[in-house]
Amino acid sequence: MLEQLSGELLHYPKLSLYAFHLCHDMALAEGERVKDADLLWQRFEELGESLDILALKTCRQWLNIPEHQTTIAFRELLSEELDRCLSFHFPEVEGKSDTPRRNGELYAVQLHDTYVADLTFRYPGMVPVAELTHLNPEGMLLPDRICASIGQTLVLFAKPVLAEESPSPDTLRQLADRCLQALLTNAPPLVLPSYRAEGKLLGSPIFEYDNDAENPAQSCHILIWLDCHPNTTHLEASGDYYHPLMDLLCYRSKIRFSYHQARTRYRDCRQLYTDLETLMKALPTLPEDTAEKLTALQEALLKINPLAFSYASHIRDIEDQRTTIITNLKNYTTKLEELTNIAGEQELSFLQAFSYECRSKLLGQIHTDLNYLRPGNALFGHCIATMRGIVEVEQAKMNHNQQEANQDLQDHIQAVGVGIAAGAIVASTSGLMFQPWEWKGEKVEFSFPLPLLAFLIALLFSAACSVGAWYWAKEGIKQGRFPFRDVKERQSKKPKR
């Protein structure tokens, strides 16, 4: 019977969910948490409700989280009454009294600006590989159900029952694949990870699986750790590896999260650049009318200024995410060295490979993205400066034309005033026309029609004087305001020799 089940039984398997959720943001005030900081604990309570685990569905009452809490390097969050670890049992399954009863515990800390939760489900005895499905009931520990903002990693630790004392790497790899298959029985196809690498931790083989999703909400990172070395059980129980491994996985998730944020901002910038291109293509088609051109340019500036600001702020965000990746990569390297130096045989090249990938691929991609985006930032500035320059020129032209029109009107008013005054002076003398005329010293008396004729003559003469005075005044005002214009016009009309 044992030979038939060889490689299919596991001693004391436990599945640990390491979930990482952002609780503070540098853009917020000191001590202020992000809006969804409690979402991770809410998900755990919903999980406890679904599994009918009282301790889990009331876990928030045991958390010591101040309302206003600053970023700290390390802080355990669960009450000391629980010895900083919330333990619980699964309810018995009806009709399956022979199935080993599951239990578990929740451990939570704050690491800098991140909540880190270790939710572990375990079997206290020996179970078939197929029973691992119940350590991830209905896929409830997968990323789409937990929704940890920064990401998560599932770690399965189990001691396999093997017929061979020294099983081959292929045999262990096949067992790890079957364990993975059992854990992901209810997982959607898009989430399924594939084999990436393997190594040794505390002397026993550990296998890495990942689906390489950029978005943390879709990333499924799983480690299958098979206890196959005599010293592994003791070293694992001592817990020296625990915090370095948890911290390392946290920094790994933060790097992935920052890269996702940077790529998201890059795509946003590309869309803004497309909008800018559309606005720039409209510049050659501006209307000829000055007023309409100014209106179109003002509308375009109102659109492009917010776009330029968003574009620049997105580039700033990408720079910040690059800095975050560099910082967390240093922390990752430190924890990897610490993990490598603990007691036991370690072969963690697969974890070291992530740091190489981070430097060559992630940071390299962000560097390339910034090289593409920075010219666009300058182009936004040139486009805005060009539009403002056109607006200033057109506005000056409009103001000049308006000023000339107003001055011409004033000149006309002044000339008309002079003409009216001159006409009034002449008209005031028209009464003399009715006086008797003297011709060659003789007194001439006109009859009734002749004085009327004299009045008409005086009236016409007055009007002529008014028109003449108006014209003279208008030309005089013009010559006084533009003394050199007519000279230039006359010079330009001279025939060339």
Side-chain angles (χ1 to χ4, degrees):
M1 182 67 177
L2 182 61
E3 293 179 358
Q4 293 176 356
L5 294 175
S6 177
E8 299 297 330
L9 288 176
L10 302 173
H11 275 294
Y12 314 115
K14 66 174 182 178
L15 179 65
S16 297
L17 165 67
Y18 294 96
F20 313 103
H21 192 82
L22 190 68
C23 61
H24 291 282
D25 193 325
M26 63 179 297
L28 300 177
E30 182 68 20
E32 184 178 352
R33 296 189 300 163
V34 298
K35 291 183 178 180
D36 65 343
D38 290 332
L39 179 61
L40 182 62
W41 318 122
Q42 293 175 14
R43 294 294 186 183
F44 285 167
E45 289 185 341
E46 292 171 4
L47 179 62
E49 188 73 34
S50 300
L51 299 176
D52 194 24
I53 301 173
L54 178 61
L56 192 56
K57 64 184 178 183
T58 59
C59 66
R60 272 191 290 181
Q61 74 180 32
W62 302 105
L63 293 171
N64 293 324
I65 301 177
E67 186 174 349
H68 297 283
Q69 180 178 320
T70 58
T71 300
I72 55 178
F74 180 83
R75 175 192 175 97
E76 294 180 321
L77 298 178
L78 284 166
S79 172
E80 293 184 0
E81 298 178 20
L82 305 171
D83 196 20
R84 297 181 297 278
C85 185
L86 180 63
S87 300
F88 51 83
H89 293 279
F90 281 71
E92 293 185 3
V93 181
E94 295 183 5
K96 292 186 178 181
S97 57
D98 57 335
T99 301
R101 190 175 180 183
R102 293 162 292 169
N103 54 43
E105 58 272 345
L106 173 65
Y107 177 69
V109 301
Q110 180 182 341
L111 186 63
H112 298 290
D113 59 353
T114 305
Y115 289 148
V116 181
D118 170 9
L119 179 64
T120 297
F121 295 161
R122 67 174 75 234
Y123 280 113
M126 186 169 60
V127 296
V129 170
E131 287 293 322
L132 294 179
T133 300
H134 300 296
L135 292 182
N136 181 27
E138 299 179 11
M140 291 182 179
L141 299 185
L142 295 178
D144 61 326
R145 306 291 291 275
I146 299 300
C147 299
S149 61
I150 295 180
Q152 68 172 58
T153 294
L154 286 169
V155 179
L156 174 69
F157 178 72
K159 185 177 183 63
V161 178
L162 298 171
E164 307 173 42
E165 290 186 3
S166 300
S168 67
D170 289 341
T171 300
L172 295 175
R173 163 72 190 283
Q174 292 171 7
L175 175 59
D177 289 345
R178 289 195 294 273
C179 291
L180 178 75
Q181 197 172 26
L183 289 173
L184 301 180
T185 300
N186 299 299
L190 293 177
V191 175
L192 294 177
S194 57
Y195 171 80
R196 286 291 175 267
E198 62 186 85
K200 284 186 178 181
L201 180 60
L202 305 184
S204 291
I206 184 169
F207 301 87
E208 182 182 31
Y209 299 82
D210 198 358
N211 62 355
D212 292 329
E214 179 190 302
N215 190 343
Q218 301 169 352
S219 176
C220 188
H221 183 233
I222 298 178
L223 300 176
I224 306 294
W225 186 13
L226 300 178
D227 181 1
C228 300
H229 191 277
N231 297 329
T232 301
T233 302
H234 171 70
L235 294 172
E236 195 276 336
S238 68
D240 293 340
Y241 80 98
Y242 179 75
H243 282 289
L245 178 62
M246 182 174 67
D247 294 350
L248 180 139
L249 294 176
C250 178
Y251 294 133
R252 180 188 185 278
S253 291
K254 293 179 79 170
I255 290 170
R256 286 286 190 181
F257 175 74
S258 296
Y259 179 71
H260 169 65
Q261 293 290 94
R263 293 295 292 168
T264 301
R265 286 289 179 261
Y266 171 77
R267 288 187 284 267
D268 293 340
C269 281
R270 296 300 299 177
Q271 181 59 50
L272 291 173
Y273 191 87
T274 302
D275 296 339
L276 172 63
E277 289 282 357
T278 303
L279 290 172
M280 289 177 59
K281 289 178 181 178
L283 286 178
T285 62
L286 290 173
E288 294 295 332
D289 182 72
T290 300
E292 293 180 1
K293 185 184 293 185
L294 281 174
T295 301
L297 285 170
Q298 288 170 355
E299 291 177 353
L301 281 172
L302 289 175
K303 291 179 181 178
I304 198 173
N305 275 316
L307 295 180
F309 179 79
S310 297
Y311 192 92
S313 65
H314 289 344
I315 291 179
R316 188 273 320 270
D317 291 343
I318 295 174
E319 294 277 9
D320 289 345
Q321 298 301 338
R322 181 172 66 174
T323 302
T324 301
I325 291 175
I326 294 172
T327 301
N328 284 287
L329 181 58
K330 292 178 181 178
N331 295 332
Y332 181 92
T333 303
T334 300
K335 292 300 176 181
L336 182 58
E337 292 176 356
E338 187 177 339
L339 193 63
T340 304
N341 293 330
I342 62 176
E345 182 186 356
Q346 322 299 337
E347 205 288 295
L348 304 176
S349 58
F350 73 101
L351 296 177
Q352 185 68 46
F354 176 76
S355 63
Y356 296 148
E357 177 192 1
C358 181
R359 291 188 181 92
S360 61
K361 180 181 177 182
L362 306 189
L363 290 175
Q365 182 63 57
I366 291 177
H367 179 73
T368 302
D369 292 346
L370 288 172
N371 286 340
Y372 275 114
L373 295 178
R374 286 190 181 113
N377 199 24
L379 185 60
F380 265 106
H382 290 317
C383 184
I384 292 174
T386 300
M387 287 184 175
R388 286 177 176 171
I390 297 174
V391 168
E392 290 175 2
V393 170
E394 294 297 329
Q395 189 68 52
K397 187 187 299 183
M398 178 179 284
N399 292 341
H400 179 71
N401 293 339
Q402 186 66 37
Q403 186 177 4
E404 282 193 344
N406 293 339
Q407 195 62 56
D408 287 343
L409 178 61
Q410 291 179 9
D411 293 348
H412 280 295
I413 292 173
Q414 291 177 9
V416 170
V418 172
I420 292 174
I425 292 172
V426 176
S428 65
T429 63
S430 63
L432 299 175
M433 296 295 181
F434 295 95
Q435 301 298 323
W437 288 7
E438 291 183 358
W439 182 259
K440 294 183 180 181
E442 297 180 359
K443 188 177 182 180
V444 181
E445 296 286 345
F446 290 99
S447 60
F448 177 75
L450 289 178
L452 178 59
L453 179 61
F455 171 74
L456 292 175
I457 292 172
L459 181 62
L460 291 174
F461 183 67
S462 175
C465 289
S466 297
V467 172
W470 165 77
Y471 182 77
W472 173 81
K474 185 183 74 168
E475 293 298 319
I477 292 171
K478 184 186 299 184
Q479 290 295 333
R481 183 168 293 107
F482 307 106
F484 302 105
R485 186 171 66 182
D486 291 342
V487 174
K488 291 181 180 179
E489 289 178 356
R490 288 196 298 269
Q491 289 177 352
S492 63
K493 291 179 181 178
K494 288 182 179 180
K496 298 182 179 179
R497 294 182 180 180

